[in-house]
Amino acid sequence: MNRVFIKTYGCQMNERDSEAVAAMLRARGYRIVQDENACDVMLLNTCSVRDMAEQKAIGKAGYVAQRKKRTPRFILGILGCMAQNRGAQLLDALPDVDLIVGTQKFHQVPDHLDNLRAAQAAGAVLPTRIVDIAEEAGSQNTIKDHLLPQDEAGRAGTPLPADAAASGMAALPQVTAFVSIQQGCNMDCAFCIVPKTRGDERSRPMDEIVRECEELADRGVREITLLGQIVTSYGRRDYQHTGGVSPFVQLLERVNALPGIQRIRFTSPHPRGFKDDLVAAYGRLEKLCGYVHLPMQSGSDRILKLMNRPYSRERYKQIVDDLRRVRPDMYFSTDIIVGFPGETAEDFEQTRELFEACNYDMAYIFKYSVRSGTPAAAMGDQVPDEVKEERNQILLRLLEQNSDRRNATLLGTTQEVLVEGPDKKGVQFMGRTRGNRIVHFTAHERLIGELVPVKITRASTAVLYGELALAGVEQ
Ligand code: SAH
Ligand code: F3S
């Protein structure tokens, strides 16, 4: 009765929250299983950023709830952003859900599950439900470590598929890890539900973050991704600038100084955070990967203003140029919303132009989705769906061209790749370049966690293929 299946929707923050819930449940004696048909508890960790993400989770929950007819003790929980956004009102649409837990209460999940199970065991007549979406006082302290799962020998590792575990293979070392540094956002972009679902900005103490990174390094992690809704605002209320250097850049400096760590990434930043100190950091912090996710949203000054985004297209382009000056081989990705209320053909043309000028390697292009309770939902002049779709396609085509162009420049070059582990098929190994491109190549298990040179021999839109360029390395 203690098998838990967790399904995660949405962003990397949600992935990381699910990992943290899994770690807490394991510590409480629950088993985390990969087969959704063989679980006693199912937890859906949800996303609210666009309507489609919410509809997917609601559909799934409605379908899964039918299981309760056959197995009354089956427990279904909804966690995260949609739980926070819709609260107890979710029970109108989904009366069979047992547990609703908001974004500041993930750490309560084990207690709530214990209580639900105890009520069931005591033969509660009425269904027991728990809804916990309150704000957590002092919740910067609940942005906790969630160190990696360990195998019995105490080595950090990725859990192996059941057959490999049964055959006695040790867990493979985990090479990359997410570390949460802040949560919430106070920017109030007119389209965005995140300030409502994730609450006010809270930062985790810098010493604690550095300690977690250190421990991860001791367990074999080589690449850290610092996570938060607006990481560039990290610590702005808790720490002073020192010598013109922001708390976020101070944190990057400290992680850069850890001997075991080889690479640092972060997401999501805000363009406003790219002041001179952060741009200069790319020149002096050698572990900081040359890949920046810089959400543009729109290239029209008029729309940026309506969106409440505090920069102009000119300023945005300036940041891209400054970063390319410091790191000529910098890779960029972005977020774009097409069809924001009132977006005219001329506004979109401005976006298209800036999109082309920035020459992105990757982009997440979204059709505007009305989020009730946000300022943009009340704006007139909503853009018809077909127009959104057309604009979406135009940017997708440009992105494809960029990607082909970039691939062509990579063919035949040798790239530094961090070996992460076997690829999904278990045939080859996979890793990433500093520019965050996935590479598949033939290697040996003992190279996991090493930075190796790989010569790129073939490229598809999403994946590069290559050969180890190590003289004398047995493959
Ligand atoms: N900084 C945040 C952004 C969260 S939302 C983070 O990564 O944690 C991620 C992206 O979704 C935004 O950058 C925006 O491009 C898109 N998005 C947000 N609200 C949207 C909406 N109402 N409709 C369409 N796209 C949206
Ligand atoms: Fe959302 Fe804007 Fe913050 S996109 S997460 S309100 S920076």
Side-chain angles (χ1 to χ4, degrees), residues 138-386:
S139 75
Q140 63 275 25
N141 299 319
T142 67
I143 314 175
K144 286 227 172 71
D145 292 2
H146 80 299
L147 294 166
L148 305 168
Q150 294 196 357
D151 64 11
E152 268 153 34
R155 198 159 65 120
T158 319
L160 288 170
D163 48 347
S167 74
M169 264 167 71
L172 296 171
Q174 184 168 334
V175 175
T176 62
F178 293 137
V179 172
S180 190
I181 67 166
Q182 66 87 225
Q183 287 187 1
C185 182
N186 285 20
M187 290 305 287
D188 288 326
C189 298
F191 49 80
C192 188
I193 195 79
V194 170
K196 180 174 170 203
T197 60
R198 291 282 177 170
D200 269 343
E201 273 173 43
R202 290 99 61 206
S203 294
R204 213 177 142 195
M206 203 179 301
D207 287 343
E208 238 182 61
I209 299 170
V210 174
R211 199 176 325 120
E212 183 178 356
C213 293
E214 232 163 359
E215 281 178 45
L216 288 167
D218 285 347
R219 295 166 175 222
V221 167
R222 295 291 166 256
E223 179 179 302
I224 297 278
T225 302
L226 303 174
L227 279 186
Q229 268 83 33
I230 179 158
V231 286
T232 37
S233 294
Y234 171 79
R236 66 177 166 144
R237 296 177 189 146
D238 315 285
Y239 301 96
Q240 303 286 322
H241 276 58
T242 48
V245 173
S246 68
F248 179 59
V249 175
Q250 293 168 32
L251 174 64
L252 292 175
E253 285 170 353
R254 289 188 58 185
V255 180
N256 193 72
L258 298 176
I261 299 300
Q262 307 272 15
R263 286 178 170 185
I264 307 167
R265 303 185 191 278
F266 55 80
T267 200
S268 242
H270 192 289
R272 203 182 67 151
F274 282 82
K275 310 258 162 54
D276 290 348
D277 61 331
L278 182 52
V279 172
Y282 280 91
R284 61 194 173 86
L285 303 181
E286 71 290 352
K287 296 177 184 173
L288 197 52
C289 287
Y291 176 96
V292 175
H293 180 69
L294 197 62
M296 182 226 280
Q297 312 299 3
S298 170
S300 152
D301 284 339
R302 197 179 73 84
I303 296 291
L304 285 170
K305 205 168 227 157
L306 287 173
M307 286 176 162
N308 197 25
R309 299 282 293 181
Y311 51 87
S312 63
R313 58 182 275 123
E314 192 189 346
R315 171 67 192 139
Y316 183 93
K317 183 64 172 42
Q318 175 86 52
I319 297 169
V320 171
D321 292 346
D322 287 350
L323 286 165
R324 284 220 162 98
R325 202 165 304 123
V326 177
R327 291 257 185 112
D329 59 347
M330 185 72 96
Y331 285 66
F332 285 95
S333 69
T334 194
D335 287 345
I336 305 278
I337 296 178
V338 293
F340 184 80
E343 186 187 71
T344 62
E346 172 53 27
D347 292 317
F348 175 69
E349 177 53 23
Q350 300 263 303
T351 300
R352 197 199 58 75
E353 214 179 63
L354 187 56
F355 188 88
E356 205 164 10
C358 292
N359 196 11
Y360 296 105
D361 296 280
M362 182 59 201
Y364 302 89
I365 303 157
F366 304 110
K367 291 184 275 184
Y368 171 69
S369 166
V370 180
R371 308 286 56 218
S372 87
T374 62
M379 291 179 185
D381 236 356
Q382 296 285 335
V383 175
D385 231 17
E386 351 29 296

Side-chain angles (χ1 to χ4, degrees), residues 380-396:
D381 236 356
Q382 296 285 335
V383 175
D385 231 17
E386 351 29 296
V387 176
K388 288 183 196 167
E389 183 54 35
E390 201 181 301
R391 293 175 184 172
N392 188 26
Q393 291 301 327
I394 291 172
L395 296 185
L396 283 175

Side-chain angles (χ1 to χ4, degrees), residues 10-218:
C11 65
Q12 287 152 321
M13 246 76 65
N14 284 11
E15 296 283 346
R16 192 256 165 215
D17 290 334
S18 291
E19 282 175 18
V21 169
M24 288 184 285
L25 288 174
R26 273 195 206 97
R28 216 32 107 75
Y30 288 87
R31 272 169 56 208
I32 306 299
V33 297
Q34 310 299 326
D35 179 0
E36 62 176 291
N37 296 312
C39 66
D40 310 299
V41 177
M42 188 181 296
L43 302 175
L44 306 179
N45 190 9
T46 56
C47 169
S48 280
V49 162
R50 282 166 295 279
D51 188 50
M52 198 147 65
E54 287 201 346
Q55 292 312 326
K56 259 198 216 161
I58 290 175
K60 177 82 179 172
Y63 175 71
V64 170
Q66 296 170 18
R67 236 186 253 186
K68 288 186 83 76
K69 294 201 185 83
R70 275 178 285 130
T71 322
R73 286 195 169 190
F74 174 72
I75 294 176
L76 176 59
I78 295 187
L79 319 181
C81 288
M82 186 170 71
Q84 194 70 45
N85 189 28
R86 298 191 171 213
Q89 168 217 331
L90 265 178
L91 292 173
D92 299 340
L94 298 165
D96 290 323
V97 169
D98 305 283
L99 178 64
I100 294 184
V101 178
T103 52
Q104 301 194 23
K105 295 291 190 159
F106 286 114
H107 59 290
Q108 297 286 11
V109 170
D111 280 352
H112 292 330
L113 278 185
D114 284 354
N115 289 338
L116 283 171
R117 283 165 21 118
Q120 283 179 343
V125 191
L126 292 172
T128 312
R129 293 210 191 96
I130 298 176
V131 177
D132 187 1
I133 56 170
E135 227 175 79
E136 177 82 4
S139 75
Q140 63 275 25
N141 299 319
T142 67
I143 314 175
K144 286 227 172 71
D145 292 2
H146 80 299
L147 294 166
L148 305 168
Q150 294 196 357
D151 64 11
E152 268 153 34
R155 198 159 65 120
T158 319
L160 288 170
D163 48 347
S167 74
M169 264 167 71
L172 296 171
Q174 184 168 334
V175 175
T176 62
F178 293 137
V179 172
S180 190
I181 67 166
Q182 66 87 225
Q183 287 187 1
C185 182
N186 285 20
M187 290 305 287
D188 288 326
C189 298
F191 49 80
C192 188
I193 195 79
V194 170
K196 180 174 170 203
T197 60
R198 291 282 177 170
D200 269 343
E201 273 173 43
R202 290 99 61 206
S203 294
R204 213 177 142 195
M206 203 179 301
D207 287 343
E208 238 182 61
I209 299 170
V210 174
R211 199 176 325 120
E212 183 178 356
C213 293
E214 232 163 359
E215 281 178 45
L216 288 167
D218 285 347

